[in-house]
Amino acid sequence: QVQLVESGGGLVQAGGSLRLSCAASGSIFEINAMGWYRQTPGKQRELVARIMSNGNTNNADSVKGRFTISRDNAKNTVYLQMNSLKPEDTAVYYCNAWIRSSIHGQLFDYWGQGTQVTVSS
């Protein structure tokens, strides 16, 4: 089994910063893409940022210049540094990773449980 455990959400004032972390554990052979998505009530989950195993990244236009995604392959962990936060960044943030199992060798899409980020104006 594989688990993604997120941490770092919370309440912050507009203009502030938060750092989200997501650690993968379990029967992992390799991790391909890792990323962060967010969702607000009544809306579809949307991509915030994604990082490939080679370090290439892509960010949503709404967060470019403010959010930075990074990963530590030795720790199977992905981070999201969020600066200059705005009230419209308020959402539940979900970690996502494409992981190849060390047991059966198949590549699957895993999700974390979600962490709430609230930005007050």
Side-chain angles (χ1 to χ4, degrees):
Q1 289 287 359
V2 172
Q3 281 188 319
L4 299 181
V5 178
E6 299 147 343
S7 61
L11 173 64
V12 65
Q13 287 188 332
S17 298
L18 283 175
R19 188 191 195 209
L20 305 183
S21 300
C22 172
S25 62
S27 305
I28 298 170
F29 176 72
E30 66 180 4
I31 302 177
N32 291 355
M34 302 184 83
W36 291 93
Y37 289 72
R38 66 187 181 188
Q39 189 170 24
T40 55
K43 293 189 176 181
Q44 286 190 335
R45 194 171 295 186
E46 64 173 4
L47 174 68
V48 176
R50 179 169 50 212
I51 183 167
M52 309 305 290
S53 57
N54 62 5
N56 288 344
T57 64
N58 64 287
N59 289 5
D61 288 342
S62 58
V63 306
K64 283 181 179 177
R66 300 187 299 121
F67 292 9
T68 302
I69 189 170
S70 61
R71 63 191 281 175
D72 184 334
N73 291 329
K75 295 181 179 179
N76 292 335
T77 299
V78 62
Y79 306 97
L80 185 68
Q81 178 66 44
M82 304 185 293
N83 298 329
S84 302
L85 282 159
K86 303 176 181 180
E88 51 263 44
D89 295 317
T90 296
V92 177
Y93 284 70
Y94 295 91
C95 174
N96 170 261
W98 284 89
I99 297 175
R100 188 176 303 280
S101 168
S102 60
I103 295 177
H104 49 66
Q106 292 182 316
L107 188 66
F108 281 118
D109 184 19
Y110 293 91
W111 292 88
Q113 79 283 2
T115 185
Q116 177 70 46
V117 171
T118 302
V119 184
S120 63
S121 57

